[in-house]
Amino acid sequence: MDTKVHEGMESEMNGNGEPEKVKNNWKKRVLCFYRKMKRFPSWLWQTIWNVGRDDPRRMIHAFKVGLSLTLVSLLYLMEPLFKGIGTNAIWAVMTVVVVLEFTAGATLCRGLNRGLGTVLAGSLAFLIKFIATKSGKVFRAVFIGAAVFLIGAAATYMRFFPYIKKNYDYGVVIFLLTFNLITVSSYRVENVLNIAHDRFYTIAIGCAICLFVSLLVFPIWSGEDLHNSTVGKLEGLAKSIEACVNEYFNDSEIKENQDKSSEDPIYKGYKAVLDSKSIDETLALYASWEPRHSRHCYRFPWQQYVKVGAVLRQFGYTVVALHGCLQTEIQTPRSVRALFKDPCIRLAGEVTKALMELANSIRNRRHCSPEILSDHLHEALQDLNTAIKSQPRLFLGSNNNQATNMLALEAAHAARHKQEKDHGVSLSSVKTDSSALLEWKTNRVSEQAKENERKVLRPQLSKTVITSLEFSEALPFAAFASLLVEIVARLDNVIEEVEELGSIACYKEFNPDDDEITGTCEKPPLDVTKNQLPSHASD
């Protein structure tokens, strides 16, 4: 009786409590939505402000797009222009939307590709139409179908050619579109020639507006972006090396936080270098389409900038490995690091100065200093070598017996565990069924507990064996020091490529009064990798 009363009361409470719970959840959702909507205006304004603050040229580009669309809309808004062009003016609007890009080089590349593809497709389409008109109606249809198949297949296959794909892929797409439109339409439409003429004129008007706005109204040059990105990569590498070495020998504990690597200043320094291959090649391609726009008409060796970027990526891989030494499981004790702190910090400081000098030379378009590799760099290398040789016991080690005993102890423990397991199985085989089943369940639970304990202890035992070796204390530092020396060795390759760039680009000779070489990293230029707009879909 009491059970039924309690069950009834419990069901009644559940029945009345469920709608109350749903009502509370609904109120929480409404309140959460209200708070989000209340914060939305401030969030929107903050986002707009941050995007414009990161690169003010984005606002300039938005202004240029709006201006171009306004100018091309006059073909519709002004009556005389609309009467002369008609509804075909829509092609001019589409051309502006598709062709106008962030930089002048990108706009020139797409605009000239579009114009060239339209002219070639129209000429070939009219040739096909002229040949098909001289034949009968049946043969005309067969001839047009065969021409569409052959030209379409050939043009599509040409898109796989590396040179065509790199420089004229968009032009081939426009060629296919225009050729098929004119050729197929000519079979049913008599005045297809007038349609083609109108489309060609409107596309030409749209391309002209894009080129005018892109080249004359606050132009943004791909060559300058490539130039500034190279300077920024050199400064970022210098900043990463200096921060990495300082953190390695810092008295505070090393931060072991892998999830926040994107916020790490060391990671930020070399990230742009590792991700720069496609960006450099794209900027170099667009820059090759641009005219000499500077006051002194500098030569712009685009491919040499790409080579410098490739060398910097190889240099950056070593910096990545150096950064990894800060996050290894086995670390050299602070007392051992202190023995080599001074030469390592001086060596990193000299490498940082050299990278900053290279960055300044490219920024100012001058040759780098003849004393970029100073005697202080060689002195730091010699001091590091002397410090390592003065501590042979740290790197050779003499306590191998302790490690051997530890490994032997582990082997004996494993053999004893296996013997006990085999002995337990042999005893249980002679027992009765019920007792054997009970003992089998008990052993299974015990084995599972031991397995879980073994999984927990396995990493600790591995670390115990590793740390028992005497040379393991200096082994992580040996890797760090070797990578630091490797950075110095690869610095020569970077200097050679930068000097080659200065020779091809006719940089001015070095003058010590022009600027001063500083060891501190300045604020890098704008991150041009964020400014590349996505390619528009071809219409």
Side-chain angles (χ1 to χ4, degrees):
M1 183 65 180
D2 294 339
T3 305
K4 292 183 179 180
V5 172
H6 286 298
E7 290 179 355
M9 294 176 61
E10 185 177 358
S11 62
E12 184 177 357
M13 292 177 62
N14 291 337
N16 296 333
E18 190 66 27
E20 187 68 23
K21 184 177 180 181
V22 174
K23 186 177 181 180
N24 292 334
N25 291 337
W26 183 81
K27 288 182 178 180
K28 290 181 180 179
R29 292 179 181 178
V30 172
L31 183 60
C32 182
F33 178 76
Y34 172 74
R35 290 176 179 174
K36 289 182 179 179
M37 293 301 297
K38 189 177 181 179
R39 293 193 302 263
F40 179 76
S42 60
W43 172 83
L44 181 61
W45 171 251
Q46 188 67 28
T47 302
I48 295 173
W49 177 260
N50 291 336
V51 170
R53 184 183 59 183
D54 291 342
D55 189 354
R57 299 181 304 170
R58 296 170 180 173
M59 295 185 291
I60 296 176
H61 178 69
F63 167 77
K64 290 161 64 175
V65 172
L67 178 62
S68 301
L69 291 175
T70 302
L71 293 176
V72 78
S73 299
L74 296 178
L75 298 177
Y76 269 98
L77 300 178
M78 298 184 66
E79 192 67 23
L81 296 177
F82 181 76
K83 288 182 179 180
I85 298 178
T87 56
N88 289 314
I90 192 63
W91 290 107
V93 178
M94 294 175 61
T95 300
V96 170
V97 174
V98 172
V99 170
L100 190 58
E101 291 282 350
F102 186 78
T103 61
T107 302
L108 281 167
C109 180
R110 293 184 71 87
L112 296 179
N113 267 270
R114 188 176 182 87
L116 184 62
T118 302
V119 171
L120 292 179
S123 302
L124 185 59
F126 285 120
L127 178 62
I128 298 297
K129 180 180 181 299
F130 177 77
I131 297 174
T133 304
K134 299 300 181 180
S135 59
K137 189 172 183 179
V138 176
F139 179 77
R140 180 182 177 186
V142 174
F143 182 76
I144 289 177
V148 168
F149 171 78
L150 293 176
I151 299 298
T156 302
Y157 188 75
M158 288 179 62
R159 294 182 65 189
F160 294 105
F161 295 175
Y163 182 78
I164 298 294
K165 186 176 183 62
K166 180 180 179 181
N167 297 276
Y168 303 104
D169 185 71
Y170 180 69
V172 176
V173 173
I174 296 301
F175 169 82
L176 281 173
L177 177 64
T178 306
F179 174 78
N180 283 274
L181 179 64
I182 297 176
T183 304
V184 176
S185 299
S186 65
Y187 186 76
R188 298 290 183 183
V189 181
E190 295 296 333
N191 60 343
V192 67
L193 182 61
N194 296 331
I195 297 176
H197 283 171
D198 292 340
R199 181 180 181 185
F200 176 77
Y201 294 148
T202 52
I203 290 177
I205 292 173
C207 289
I209 292 175
C210 290
L211 296 180
F212 171 79
V213 173
S214 182
L215 297 176
L216 300 180
V217 180
F218 303 110
I220 301 173
W221 306 104
S222 298
E224 291 296 330
D225 280 354
L226 181 61
H227 181 85
N228 294 332
S229 67
T230 304
V231 175
K233 286 185 289 187
L234 284 167
E235 292 179 343
L237 289 174
K239 181 179 179 181
S240 294
I241 294 173
E242 186 177 24
C244 188
V245 175
N246 290 337
E247 185 175 345
Y248 188 79
F249 292 100
N250 195 8
D251 293 335
S252 61
E253 294 295 330
I254 294 177
K255 300 178 181 179
E256 299 178 356
N257 193 351
Q258 300 287 347
D259 298 335
K260 296 184 178 180
S261 59
S262 60
E263 301 177 359
D264 191 351
I266 302 176
Y267 176 76
K268 282 184 177 180
Y270 60 74
K271 179 180 182 296
V273 179
L274 302 181
D275 300 339
S276 64
K277 185 176 187 299
S278 60
I279 299 296
D280 289 350
E281 292 177 352
T282 302
L283 289 176
L285 171 63
Y286 292 154
S288 63
W289 290 83
E290 294 177 350
R292 294 189 181 183
H293 50 272
S294 61
R295 183 163 58 92
H296 302 285
C297 292
Y298 291 112
R299 293 182 59 192
F300 226 107
W302 328 115
Q303 296 304 320
Q304 186 61 30
Y305 275 94
V306 176
K307 292 181 180 179
V308 172
V311 173
L312 289 179
R313 280 191 297 276
Q314 295 295 329
F315 188 87
Y317 296 148
T318 310
V319 180
V320 174
L322 190 72
H323 187 203
C325 292
L326 274 67
Q327 301 170 342
T328 56
E329 292 291 337
I330 305 300
Q331 292 288 342
T332 301
R334 297 286 177 180
S335 58
V336 178
R337 296 188 206 182
L339 300 174
F340 313 98
K341 178 179 180 179
D342 182 66
C344 288
I345 290 182
R346 287 192 289 116
L347 186 62
E350 294 300 323
V351 173
T352 300
K353 289 181 180 180
L355 291 175
M356 291 300 299
E357 164 60 18
L358 293 175
N360 291 332
S361 67
I362 296 178
R363 178 189 290 110
N364 300 323
R365 289 183 169 87
R366 62 160 176 80
H367 290 281
C368 60
S369 172
E371 299 178 356
I372 185 172
L373 296 178
S374 63
D375 295 336
H376 299 290
L377 178 65
H378 299 287
E379 291 176 0
L381 280 173
Q382 292 294 336
D383 293 344
L384 178 60
N385 186 35
T386 303
I388 292 176
K389 288 183 177 180
S390 64
Q391 302 292 336
R393 291 178 58 85
L394 290 176
F395 299 94
L396 297 178
S398 60
N399 197 15
N400 296 330
N401 293 332
Q402 182 181 359
T404 304
N405 295 335
M406 179 67 70
L407 295 175
L409 180 62
E410 292 293 329
H413 176 71
R416 183 169 61 253
H417 177 72
K418 182 178 180 181
Q419 183 179 3
E420 291 177 355
K421 182 178 178 181
D422 295 339
H423 181 65
V425 172
S426 61
L427 289 177
S428 60
S429 60
V430 298
K431 295 179 180 292
T432 60
D433 294 340
S434 59
S435 59
L437 181 60
L438 180 60
E439 187 171 351
W440 177 80
K441 291 182 179 180
T442 305
N443 291 337
R444 183 176 181 182
V445 173
S446 178
E447 289 177 2
Q448 289 179 353
K450 291 181 180 179
E451 183 67 23
N452 294 333
E453 183 180 0
R454 193 181 303 115
K455 290 180 180 179
V456 175
L457 294 178
R458 187 180 295 117
Q460 299 178 358
L461 291 175
S462 300
K463 291 181 181 180
T464 302
V465 174
I466 293 174
T467 54
S468 66
L469 304 177
E470 184 176 341
F471 64 82
S472 65
E473 293 185 349
L475 184 60
F477 173 77
F480 183 85
S482 64
L483 289 172
L484 198 57
V485 175
E486 179 68 17
I487 285 177
V488 177
R490 294 196 177 191
L491 183 61
D492 290 334
N493 299 331
V494 179
I495 296 175
E496 291 178 1
E497 292 297 333
V498 174
E499 281 294 320
E500 183 68 18
L501 173 63
S503 300
I504 298 175
C506 299
Y507 284 176
K508 60 184 179 181
E509 295 297 327
F510 172 76
N511 186 0
D513 298 332
D514 289 344
D515 52 13
E516 297 181 356
I517 303 174
T518 59
T520 58
C521 299
E522 302 174 2
K523 182 180 179 180
L526 297 173
D527 188 2
V528 299
T529 59
K530 299 179 181 179
N531 299 327
Q532 300 304 313
L533 302 182
S535 300
H536 296 291
S538 58
D539 57 329

